[in-house]
């Protein structure tokens, strides 16, 4: 498994989709800066600014971005026609999928660090007050924590769509809607139950409402449920493309046999 994960890291260096992740991190920070400019009279300390970045990233762009990256990396094995060779090493489809999920989890951490770097850069460029090393470290940990938890929230969708060729793009579309609904769920008292936003309580997110507390038990239960669903899907994954190709080949063979039989 370690060798599989290392191999995935080598492959990632060739994938341009990784730059999409970097670009989205920069975009969400710039969007938060624009929103800060529009809110006249508001205090823009590092805590407030980073909270805006975390929220915008969570409900607008990150879940769909990490799903796109994971789906693309998995589907490349099919488009590059390397999957059939991998499965004969032998490396099972399940092991390959687990290795890719772990590698994308590491990518989620890397994107969090990049997001933090852009946040600090824009924060200083904007001359906002309220910086301290302790606050900066806490912001970094919050970004890593919420992005990893958000990744867990979408892993069942990634795992399900990974089993069929070309299914990851519909999955990205669904996750975009899934993440956007988190905005409404959070506003109706469902923040801790909704998987996308469940991590906000665990990282100590403050939205300025004066009541940053939530139910840690409900948050953990929501995240644990997504892990259980992912484990079930990962335990019995199937490369459905292989079956589809086999069925197609069998159908073609039957048609050829019928034509041959008819000429006799």
């Amino acid at each position: 498994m370690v060798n599989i994960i290392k191999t995935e890291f080598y492959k990632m260096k060739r994938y341009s989709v990784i730059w999409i992740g970097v670009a989205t991190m920069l975009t969400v920070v710039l969007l938060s800066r624009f929103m800060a400019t529009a809110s006249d009279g508001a205090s823009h300390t590092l805590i407030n600014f980073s909270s805006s970045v975390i929220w915008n990233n969570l409900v607008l762009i990150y879940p769909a971005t990490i799903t796109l990256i994971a789906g693309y990396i998995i589907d490349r094995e099919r488009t590059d026609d390397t999957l059939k060779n991998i499965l004969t090493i032998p490396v099972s489809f399940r092991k390959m999928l687990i290795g890719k999920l772990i590698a994308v989890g590491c990518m989620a951490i890397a994107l969090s660090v990049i997001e933090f770097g852009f946040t600090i850069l824009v924060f200083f460029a904007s001359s906002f007050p309220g910086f301290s090393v302790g606050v900066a470290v806490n912001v970094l940990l919050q970004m890593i924590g919420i992005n990893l938890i958000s990744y867990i929230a979408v892993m069942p969708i990634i795992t399900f769509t990974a089993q069929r060729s070309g299914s990851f793009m519909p999955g990205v579309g669904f996750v975009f809607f899934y993440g956007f609904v988190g905005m409404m769920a959070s506003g109706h008292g469902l923040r801790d139950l909704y998987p996308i936003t469940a991590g906000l309580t665990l990282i100590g997110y403050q939205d300025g409402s004066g009541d940053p507390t939530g139910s840690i038990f409900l948050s953990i239960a929501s995240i644990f449920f997504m892990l259980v669903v992912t484990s079930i899907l990962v335990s019995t994954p199937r490369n459905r493309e292989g079956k589809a190709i086999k069925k197609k080949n069998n159908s073609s063979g039957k048609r050829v046999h019928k034509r041959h039989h008819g000429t006799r």
Side-chain angles (χ1 to χ4, degrees), residues 3-262:
N3 291 332
I4 294 175
I5 297 173
K6 287 182 178 179
T7 302
E8 292 304 322
F9 289 145
Y10 290 132
K11 291 179 181 179
M12 282 183 179
K13 296 178 181 179
R14 308 195 308 265
Y15 296 154
S16 58
V17 72
I18 303 301
W19 291 105
I20 295 178
V22 175
T24 55
M25 295 301 102
L26 176 60
T27 300
V28 76
V29 173
L30 294 178
L31 173 63
S32 301
R33 177 63 181 87
F34 175 78
M35 294 174 64
T37 303
S39 57
D40 297 331
S43 176
H44 303 303
T45 62
L46 179 57
I47 294 177
N48 293 335
F49 181 61
S50 63
S51 294
S52 178
V53 173
I54 289 172
W55 175 255
N56 290 330
N57 190 46
L58 181 63
V59 300
L60 295 179
I61 200 167
Y62 178 78
T65 299
I66 200 67
T67 303
L68 172 64
I69 292 174
Y72 177 86
I73 290 174
I74 295 171
D75 210 55
R76 274 294 295 264
E77 300 294 352
R78 296 187 175 97
T79 57
D80 291 347
D81 202 27
T82 56
L83 181 59
K84 61 183 180 182
N85 295 327
I86 292 175
L87 298 181
T88 58
I89 291 177
V91 174
S92 66
F93 184 76
R94 181 178 64 85
K95 286 185 178 180
M96 185 203 71
L97 183 58
I98 293 174
K100 288 184 180 293
L101 289 175
I102 294 175
V104 174
C106 295
M107 175 57 59
I109 296 176
L111 289 177
S112 302
V113 175
I114 293 171
E115 178 188 14
F116 171 76
F118 285 144
T119 300
I120 295 298
L121 182 63
V122 172
F123 175 82
F124 281 123
S126 303
S127 300
F128 289 155
F131 176 83
S132 70
V133 175
V135 171
V137 171
N138 185 61
V139 168
L140 174 60
L141 294 177
Q142 283 185 327
M143 289 181 173
I144 293 175
I146 194 62
N147 287 345
L148 280 177
I149 294 172
S150 178
Y151 175 54
I152 292 174
V154 300
M155 273 204 299
I157 301 169
I158 294 172
T159 306
F160 179 76
T161 57
Q163 300 181 44
R164 190 178 297 276
S165 177
S167 297
F168 78 96
M169 285 307 298
V172 172
F174 175 79
V175 168
F176 181 81
F177 173 77
Y178 176 36
F180 185 76
V181 170
M183 184 184 303
M184 293 177 283
S186 180
H188 289 79
L190 300 175
R191 190 179 84 173
D192 299 325
L193 284 174
Y194 198 71
I196 289 289
T197 57
L200 293 173
T201 296
L202 296 181
I203 67 170
Y205 174 80
Q206 298 184 23
D207 57 3
S209 64
D211 184 21
T213 60
S215 174
I216 295 179
F217 173 78
L218 290 179
S219 298
I220 294 176
S222 178
I223 296 166
F224 180 74
F225 175 75
M226 301 308 287
L227 283 173
V228 170
V229 173
T230 301
S231 299
I232 294 173
L233 292 173
V234 169
S235 63
T236 57
R238 296 179 181 178
N239 179 28
R240 301 181 186 277
E241 182 199 38
K243 289 189 173 183
I245 292 175
K246 183 177 179 180
K247 184 177 180 181
K248 181 179 179 181
N249 290 338
N250 288 339
S251 299
S252 299
K254 289 180 180 179
R255 288 196 297 268
V256 171
H257 177 72
K258 288 181 179 180
R259 287 197 298 267
H260 180 70
H261 182 73

